[in-house]
Amino acid sequence: MSTAANVSNELDCQRCGACCATYRVSFYWAEADDAPGGTVPAALTRQVSAWHRCMAGTEAHPVRCVGLQGEVGQGVACTLYAQRSSTCREVQPGDAQCLHARARHGLA
């Protein structure tokens, strides 16, 4: 098994969820479904600026995305997975953002 596959298996996003409870999930406003071609449910977002929105629950501390279900580090799911923003799609298991979020939640 490759190293990338090992990292992916060890850092299972379906058990973790630390990123969703650490970062503000900001993205370009047109990714929301009230814009042509947008997919992120606009009703679950908050305006950050004229050009950006964020997922509700990530705009203030303590951070917890409205789409996150379950307990961080135990078992989680994203209720918006198919409609998630580009920001969420960019985070990868084992990257710097992932490891930082895990550390903030006391996860190895």
Side-chain angles (χ1 to χ4, degrees):
M1 188 179 285
S2 71
T3 302
N6 287 340
V7 167
S8 179
N9 288 335
E10 291 174 18
L11 304 175
D12 180 3
C13 296
Q14 295 296 313
R15 291 187 316 198
C16 183
C19 293
C20 308
T22 299
Y23 300 113
R24 181 173 76 184
V25 180
S26 297
F27 51 91
Y28 183 59
W29 70 270
E31 288 188 53
D33 65 3
D34 59 351
T39 60
V40 179
L44 302 179
T45 68
R46 302 293 178 261
Q47 186 171 353
V48 174
S49 71
W51 301 106
H52 294 94
R53 295 181 180 189
C54 71
M55 291 306 303
T58 69
E59 72 275 21
H61 290 279
V63 171
R64 185 176 173 96
C65 181
V66 68
L68 181 64
Q69 284 187 336
E71 186 176 337
V72 173
Q74 300 298 311
V76 296
C78 175
T79 62
L80 310 166
Y81 190 79
Q83 301 162 298
R84 71 195 188 282
S85 72
S86 59
T87 304
C88 298
R89 294 174 193 276
E90 290 171 4
V91 178
Q92 297 296 309
D95 72 8
Q97 286 182 298
C98 166
L99 297 177
H100 174 77
R102 290 179 61 82
R104 288 192 59 152
H105 288 273
L107 304 172

